[in-house]
Each structure stands twice: as C-alpha cells, then as structure tokens.
C-alpha cells in the first residue's frame, strides 16, 4: 500500500496527512486500510501512540472487513460507506476525507473555517497543477 512506503528515513507517506491533521488541531483520526496493510498498521501503532486518549485524541485503524459487501473496498467512497457506522459512533461535527498517499503540507483548519463560513454542504480542497 502506497501510504506505507518509507519516506525520508523512519517516516512513511501516511505521516504527511496525519501530521497535517494534528497540526490543524484535528485529534480524532480514522485510517481506513485495505490490502497489504500490516506494515502500515504497525507503523501507525508504533509512531502515533503519543496521542492522549484522555483528551479524546486518537488514530483509529479501520482495516477492511467486508462487513457490508462481499468484496473489498471499491474506492474511497465505498470505504467510507462501509465504515459509516464507526464514523457515526464518534458523533463528529465534520468529517474530513483525505488520501493517505499524498505528500504535502496543509492547514485543514483554514479550509474547514471557509466551509463553515460559507455554510457549505461539501468542500473539496485542490490545487491547480
């Protein structure tokens, strides 16, 4: 899985979106994994265990379980759908869906503030390439 690919020594590509979340003040994160996820799960368990459970901060690992369908996830939207009950159990005010295999730095707080200010139903963050 691309998010587990090493980057810059001890880091993995997944560390970019996770760091962006923490640096944006987002302390409740779910990571949906699919295939070949063992090294990714191990990395997150070992490298992101510093979050404070008593402050309701966490990185929750959601491996594919084929709970709704008999096939593995068929894209990001299907992965979210198959984990919707888990997401809802946390009663989030907002849900931010990110790719785990992109390398960039972004303050999600700015995007979320614009989303709230515009009373948007959905906001998509992108840049011109």
């Amino acid at each position: 899985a691309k998010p587990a690919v090493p980057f810059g020594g001890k880091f993995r590509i997944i560390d970019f979106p996770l760091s962006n979340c923490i640096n944006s003040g987002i302390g409740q994160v779910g990571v949906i994994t699919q295939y070949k996820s063992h090294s990714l799960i191990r990395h997150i368990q070992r490298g992101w265990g510093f979050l404070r459970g008593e402050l309701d901060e966490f990185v929750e690992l959601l491996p594919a379980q084929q709970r709704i369908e008999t096939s593995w996830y068929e894209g990001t939207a299907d992965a979210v759908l198959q984990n919707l009950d888990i997401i809802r159990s946390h009663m989030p005010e907002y849900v931010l869906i990110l790719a785990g295999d992109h390398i960039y730095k972004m303050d999600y707080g700015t995007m979320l503030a614009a989303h709230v200010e515009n009373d948007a139903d959905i906001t998509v963050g992108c840049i011109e390439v």
Side-chain angles (χ1 to χ4, degrees), residues 65-71 73 78-85:
Q65 301 174 57
Q66 296 179 321
R67 295 171 39 219
I68 296 174
E69 299 289 332
T70 57
S71 61
Y73 301 141
D78 185 52
V80 171
L81 174 66
Q82 290 199 42
N83 287 282
L84 207 49
D85 61 324

Side-chain angles (χ1 to χ4, degrees), residues 1 13 29 39 63 112 127:
I13 292 175
V29 179
S39 67
L112 181 58
I127 59 170

